[in-house]
């Protein structure tokens, strides 16, 4: 090879997008490859860009957010866009902004793009385009990755490289692969006559096309009810069939269940206006088309002895035996609205990327750290990562996975670049205030309840603590390895939870006395509320596996529920703060109260051990300086004794500024 060529290749290897030749093929190299420029892919790109990492995003379309260019078909999102909360705290306001991605740029808040409470999907497309362009994210458009495989290499971060091939047979290599391609392959149920079924992805969205027709919808999610809502006013009637009963989001507290914006069919069903809901296994169905083009619903086993090609007259229908069979009336159209599943087709077997089991089979199998169970270094982001918290939290939606994506980035920063999980160290006197501040404003804890938690690592002798935000509780046993932080002296875990028996399709969430108001009954709180777990030692992997059913964490050494609050404002001195402080004091065997300088001065002469506030404040010439106004307030609150003027002259040490008090102690 010529020296000039060698120098050129060496130069390329020093820059982002290095070239490698393997078995005659040339690979463009990046440390991180991201498949998909939807919300999760762009969110990951933002964090990598802020950290100065070498990454690339592959997007098959000509613009980001291609899913939202098509779906939802009727163009109205069900993610709320609350303009006003009565507060200016940006972190708190994200609790009620379900569309914005996380960034430092205040222009990229979704409220600047739409004032609609349920905005248009077209607005989301425009927002994602701006997010990618304004932040100058490295997105390679019109690049469809069609094959992914592994190449073993001991020098690679994870013992292998990921090799990607696009539609033009161009090759790419990366050390870590993040899949943010979403769920876009339609769920299809095959049964006799399923060829007569129209798919949600192609069915007409013009209500006039359904005028005077009778329609059967297969499915019971938001796409099914969205479709029904669009044609409710023009059809003869609509029937909807699914294997499970309808789940209302206000009962399950799961945002993926049926939302009120789409539930008009429930009104017309329960108020006797012809429409109706049915339960049944779709795989047991069969559809037969008559000479007039009408679609008749029958059951698969009726076709076993009949010849479907001979026509409907030769087939036994359920109403032939049961004349009041629910779906005996023929339908003009049958529409499939069964949601989507992950596309496994492009991944080679060597990656070990397998579907989940049971009700999460549409998702790939991943760990609570969002890493594939089959391949180290392969992470699943966004909607496809929802198996971690399916039907429990918001990880399948923007307002949830924007936080889990940040958590994955922090895990990777520690693993590959030696950057520990961000943390802040405070004196122990700030423990109560730190917890109260976070539970009242943190959006990640609030949206990803029971999944992400704040971790407080205690320092030796509980004189200080280290605060880590929004760590995945499913990998709590791996905290030291995943974060680069040590948990040698015990820890607190702060998490948000609903009551154990308050969520479910069959629950009456509007019953009388549903709310708990007394602090002593806080453990019975039903609505979302903070829960603090205390562990003397970091839980083990075995402890995590043996945790009680439906518990996010193993049994702690102590636990405290902050009583639910109607305003989600946990700042009441007696109901919220005082019980929390006493719980922390019992766990740490210390006094976490704040004191006036006079009290600390008195304690210095009457106690063997000063409270932490006096040790870390008063003895360092910090704290509240005495004044007539403060003294009057302290006396009224019972914090100081009310000396008479004579008693004060005869017995008390004069009230002086803090500096004089310290000098007086030194002199004595």
């Amino acid at each position: 090879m010529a020296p000039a060529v060698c120098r050129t290749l060496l130069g390329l290897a020093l820059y982002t997008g290095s070239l490698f030749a393997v078995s005659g093929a040339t690979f463009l190299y990046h440390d991180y490859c991201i498949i998909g420029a939807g919300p999760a892919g762009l969110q990951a790109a933002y964090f990598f860009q802020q950290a100065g990492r070498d990454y690339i995003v592959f997007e098959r379309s000509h613009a980001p957010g291609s899913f939202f260019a098509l779906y939802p078909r009727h163009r109205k999102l069900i993610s709320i866009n609350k303009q006003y909360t009565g507060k200016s705290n940006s972190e708190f306001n994200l609790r009620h902004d379900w569309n914005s991605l996380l960034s430092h740029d205040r222009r990229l808040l979704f409220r600047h793009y739409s004032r609609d409470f349920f905005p248009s999907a077209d607005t989301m497309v425009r927002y994602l385009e701006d997010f990618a362009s304004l932040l100058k994210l490295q997105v390679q458009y019109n690049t469809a990755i069609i094959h992914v495989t592994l190449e073993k290499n001991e020098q690679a971060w994870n013992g292998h490289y990921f090799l990607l091939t696009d539609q033009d047979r161009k090759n790419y290599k990366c050390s870590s692969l993040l899949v943010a391609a979403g769920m876009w392959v339609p769920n299809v149920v095959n049964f006799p006559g399923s060829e007569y079924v129209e798919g949600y992805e192609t069915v007409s969205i013009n209500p006039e096309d359904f005028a005077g027709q009778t329609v059967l919808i297969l499915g019971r999610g938001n796409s099914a009810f969205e479709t029904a809502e669009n044609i409710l006013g023009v059809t003869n009637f609509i029937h909807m069939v699914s294997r499970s009963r309808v789940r209302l989001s206000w009962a399950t507290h799961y945002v993926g269940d049926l939302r009120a914006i789409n539930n008009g069919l429930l009104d017309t069903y329960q108020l006797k206006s012809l429409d109706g809901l049915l339960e049944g296994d779709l795989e047991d169905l069969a559809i037969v088309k008559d000479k007039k083009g009408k679609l008749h619903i029958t059951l698969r086993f009726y076709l076993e002895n009949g010849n479907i090609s001979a026509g409907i007259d030769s087939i036994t229908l359920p109403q032939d035996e049961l004349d009041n069979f629910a779906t005996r009336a023929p339908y003009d159209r049958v529409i499939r609205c069964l949601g989507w599943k992950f596309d496994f087709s492009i991944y080679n077997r060597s990656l070990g990327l397998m579907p989940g089991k049971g009700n999460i089979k549409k998702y790939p199998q991943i760990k609570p750290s969002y890493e594939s169970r089959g391949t180290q270094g392969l992470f699943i982001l966004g909607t496809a990562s929802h198996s971690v918290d399916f039907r429990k939290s918001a990880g399948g939606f923007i307002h949830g996975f924007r936080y889990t994506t940040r958590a994955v980035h922090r895990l990777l920063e520690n693993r590959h670049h030696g950057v520990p999980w961000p943390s802040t160290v405070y004196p122990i006197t700030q423990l109560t205030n730190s917890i109260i501040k976070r539970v009242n404003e943190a959006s990640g804890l609030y949206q990803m309840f029971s999944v992400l938690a704040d971790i407080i690592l205690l320092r030796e002798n509980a004189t200080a603590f280290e605060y880590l935000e929004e760590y995945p509780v499913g990998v709590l046993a791996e905290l030291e390895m995943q974060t680069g932080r040590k948990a040698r002296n015990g820890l607190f875990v702060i998490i948000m939870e609903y009551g154990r028996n308050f969520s479910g399709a069959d629950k009456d969430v509007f019953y009388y006395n549903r709310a708990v108001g007394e602090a002593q009954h806080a453990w019975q709180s039903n609505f979302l509320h903070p829960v603090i777990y205390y562990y003397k030692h970091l839980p083990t992997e075995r402890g995590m596996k043996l945790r009680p059913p439906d518990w996010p964490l193993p049994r702690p050494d102590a636990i405290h529920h902050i009583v639910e609050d109607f305003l989600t404002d946990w700042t009441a001195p007696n109901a919220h703060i005082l019980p929390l402080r006493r719980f922390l004091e019992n766990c740490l065997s210390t006094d976490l109260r704040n004191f006036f300088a006079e009290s600390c001065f008195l304690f210095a002469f009457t106690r063997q051990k000063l409270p932490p506030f006096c040790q870390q404040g008063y003895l360092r010439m910090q704290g509240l300086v005495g004044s007539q106004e403060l003294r009057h307030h302290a006396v009224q609150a019972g914090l100081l004794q009310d000396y008479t003027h004579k008693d004060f002259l005869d017995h008390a040490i004069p009230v002086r500024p803090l500096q004089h008090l310290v000098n007086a102690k030194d002199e004595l």
Side-chain angles (χ1 to χ4, degrees):
M1 183 178 292
V5 176
C6 291
R7 286 194 298 270
T8 301
L9 290 178
L10 179 61
L12 286 171
L14 296 176
Y15 290 91
T16 297
S18 303
L19 292 173
F20 287 82
V22 179
S23 302
T26 301
F27 290 83
L28 184 63
Y29 175 81
H30 294 277
D31 287 343
Y32 298 98
C33 291
I34 303 170
I35 300 178
L42 296 182
Q43 186 68 88
Y46 168 76
F47 291 124
F48 284 126
Q49 182 139 312
Q50 289 298 107
R53 304 304 174 199
D54 171 24
Y55 77 94
I56 188 69
V57 182
F58 299 112
E59 170 54 44
R60 61 182 176 176
S61 182
H62 66 282
S66 58
F67 182 88
F68 291 99
L70 297 174
Y71 306 112
R73 291 295 312 285
H74 303 91
R75 311 313 292 148
K76 181 173 285 190
L77 300 175
I78 57 174
S79 47
I80 66 174
N81 177 42
K82 197 170 179 62
Q83 293 286 309
Y84 304 103
T85 64
K87 297 188 178 182
S88 58
N89 185 300
S90 58
E91 178 69 11
F92 174 86
N93 288 340
L94 280 173
R95 291 182 170 188
H96 309 287
D97 172 356
W98 292 10
N99 299 286
S100 296
L101 296 178
L102 305 178
S103 79
H104 64 279
D105 194 333
R106 305 292 297 171
R107 295 174 297 174
L108 292 170
L109 291 173
F110 201 85
R111 60 185 175 86
H112 298 315
Y113 286 77
S114 175
R115 298 183 63 85
D116 295 333
F117 191 68
F118 293 111
S120 167
D122 297 321
T123 307
M124 175 59 74
V125 173
R126 182 164 57 90
Y127 171 80
L128 295 176
E129 290 175 349
D130 283 358
F131 192 90
S133 61
L134 291 176
L135 296 173
K136 296 180 172 55
L137 303 182
Q138 302 301 310
V139 183
Q140 184 171 310
Y141 296 107
N142 299 310
T143 304
I145 300 300
I146 61 172
H147 188 252
V148 182
T149 188
L150 288 181
E151 176 192 78
K152 300 292 183 181
N153 191 313
E154 295 181 359
Q155 303 301 317
W157 287 351
N158 300 291
H160 51 254
Y161 289 111
F162 295 92
L163 306 182
L164 288 67
T165 304
D166 69 14
Q167 80 277 17
D168 296 324
R169 303 299 172 184
K170 293 181 180 178
N171 301 302
Y172 310 89
K173 175 185 287 192
C174 47
S175 294
S176 189
L177 177 63
L178 296 92
V179 178
M183 309 273 286
W184 59 273
V185 179
N187 271 317
V188 177
V189 177
N190 292 313
F191 52 78
S194 59
E195 65 270 20
Y196 303 124
V197 175
E198 300 175 75
Y200 169 80
E201 62 277 6
T202 57
V203 71
S204 171
I205 59 175
N206 182 3
E208 292 304 315
D209 291 341
F210 296 84
Q213 294 187 348
T214 301
V215 178
L216 177 67
I217 296 177
L218 307 180
R220 192 155 296 171
N222 278 292
S223 62
F225 277 91
E226 166 206 334
T227 301
E229 193 78 14
N230 184 53
I231 60 177
L232 200 59
V234 298
T235 52
N236 295 332
F237 58 81
I238 302 171
H239 287 166
M240 188 178 290
V241 62
S242 178
R243 65 181 175 212
S244 60
R245 60 174 292 180
V246 65
R247 298 186 182 97
L248 302 170
S249 60
W250 65 65
T252 62
H253 302 112
Y254 173 61
V255 298
D257 283 334
L258 178 59
R259 304 288 297 285
I261 187 176
N262 287 326
N263 68 9
L265 186 70
L266 298 183
D267 269 9
T268 55
Y269 171 40
Q270 290 295 327
L271 297 178
K272 307 180 295 298
S273 190
L274 297 179
D275 304 315
L277 274 65
L278 298 160
E279 285 76 42
D281 194 332
L282 299 183
E283 294 183 351
D284 293 337
L285 296 182
I287 297 177
V288 181
K289 191 173 186 178
D290 66 20
K291 296 177 181 179
K292 296 180 180 180
K294 298 287 186 178
L295 303 175
H296 297 260
I297 303 302
T298 184
L299 301 175
R300 184 190 289 263
F301 70 83
Y302 281 117
L303 302 182
E304 293 177 355
N305 299 322
N307 182 6
I308 190 170
S309 62
I312 191 171
D313 294 335
S314 65
I315 298 173
T316 301
L317 298 176
Q319 55 264 35
D320 295 336
E321 298 179 358
L322 185 66
D323 59 5
N324 66 339
F325 183 65
T327 58
R328 60 187 181 274
Y331 297 95
D332 295 294
R333 306 174 84 152
V334 179
I335 306 172
R336 167 182 43 78
C337 301
L338 300 173
W340 297 269
K341 59 184 178 182
F342 185 78
D343 180 17
F344 290 92
S345 65
I346 68 172
Y347 302 97
N348 187 275
R349 284 186 180 181
S350 60
L351 275 75
L353 194 62
M354 302 296 293
K357 298 179 181 179
N359 62 354
I360 58 171
K361 63 183 179 181
K362 61 183 177 180
Y363 300 106
Q365 291 186 18
I366 57 175
K367 304 174 185 177
S369 61
Y370 303 93
E371 189 169 20
S372 169
R373 292 191 179 277
T375 304
Q376 187 172 339
L378 171 58
F379 289 83
I380 307 296
L381 305 179
T383 303
S385 70
H386 197 26
S387 60
V388 171
D389 63 306
F390 181 61
R391 303 199 58 78
K392 296 178 182 177
S393 196
F397 312 92
I398 292 176
H399 64 287
F401 63 63
R402 60 190 178 193
Y403 303 104
T404 59
T405 300
R406 179 166 62 185
V408 168
H409 173 255
R410 288 171 172 173
L411 295 175
L412 290 171
E413 283 291 296
N414 177 64
R415 178 187 294 186
H416 298 310
H417 308 289
V419 179
W421 194 282
S423 69
T424 307
V425 177
Y426 298 100
I428 201 67
T429 53
Q430 296 300 313
L431 182 58
T432 306
N433 288 343
S434 297
I435 295 174
I436 289 296
K437 181 178 187 294
R438 285 288 295 169
V439 300
N440 277 287
E441 67 178 37
S443 57
L445 291 184
Y446 194 83
Q447 302 289 19
M448 288 303 297
F449 56 88
S450 299
V451 177
L452 297 182
D454 283 3
I455 311 295
I456 293 176
L457 305 177
L458 297 169
R459 294 293 177 89
E460 189 174 1
N461 299 321
T463 57
F465 63 92
E466 191 172 11
Y467 204 108
L468 285 66
E469 298 178 359
E470 296 166 13
Y471 179 79
V473 295
V475 286
L476 182 61
E478 305 169 13
L479 182 137
E480 293 188 332
M481 177 187 70
Q482 297 281 17
T483 66
R485 306 294 180 182
K486 300 299 180 183
R488 299 192 180 105
N489 304 291
L491 66 154
F492 291 99
V493 180
I494 296 91
I495 199 168
M496 305 289 280
E497 297 180 12
Y498 277 98
R500 299 264 184 250
N501 299 308
F502 193 56
S503 301
D506 58 342
K507 301 294 184 181
D508 177 11
V509 293
F510 300 108
Y511 68 88
Y512 281 109
N513 300 320
R514 59 188 174 272
V516 174
E518 296 78 24
Q520 62 266 35
H521 302 304
W523 62 278
Q524 295 178 308
S525 294
N526 285 316
F527 289 92
L528 194 65
H529 63 283
V531 184
I532 295 88
Y533 293 73
Y534 171 64
Y535 297 96
K536 294 179 181 178
H537 305 284
L538 187 67
T540 62
E541 190 64 42
R542 183 174 183 274
M544 292 294 293
K545 291 180 179 179
L546 297 178
R547 66 186 184 272
D550 298 324
W551 279 48
L553 292 164
R555 291 192 183 276
D557 294 291
I559 189 170
H560 176 72
H561 291 253
I562 300 180
V563 69
E564 64 186 58
D565 189 79
F566 187 67
L567 301 176
T568 62
D569 180 3
W570 291 280
T571 57
N574 293 324
H576 302 135
I577 299 176
L578 181 58
L580 171 63
R581 196 201 76 211
R582 287 177 173 168
F583 166 76
L584 299 173
E585 289 176 337
N586 288 334
C587 292
L588 302 178
S589 299
T590 192
D591 189 339
L592 295 178
R593 290 178 294 174
N594 296 336
F595 295 95
F596 289 104
E598 290 96 330
S599 299
C600 289
F601 181 75
L602 180 62
F603 293 157
F605 292 98
T606 58
R607 296 187 180 185
Q608 292 184 342
K609 182 180 179 181
L610 290 178
F613 185 85
C614 294
Q615 293 179 17
Q616 299 175 0
Y618 168 73
L619 293 183
R620 297 177 181 176
M621 295 182 288
Q622 301 173 7
L624 295 175
V625 179
S627 69
Q628 184 176 357
E629 183 179 355
L630 281 175
R631 174 177 290 282
H632 179 69
H633 172 74
V635 168
Q636 286 188 326
L639 300 174
L640 288 177
Q641 184 175 349
D642 186 10
Y643 294 107
T644 64
H645 181 67
K646 183 178 183 302
D647 289 339
F648 185 73
L649 291 176
D650 292 343
H651 303 290
I653 298 173
V655 177
R656 302 177 183 176
L658 183 58
Q659 180 64 50
H660 292 292
L661 290 174
V662 176
N663 291 340
K665 175 180 178 294
D666 293 339
E667 292 172 5
L668 290 171

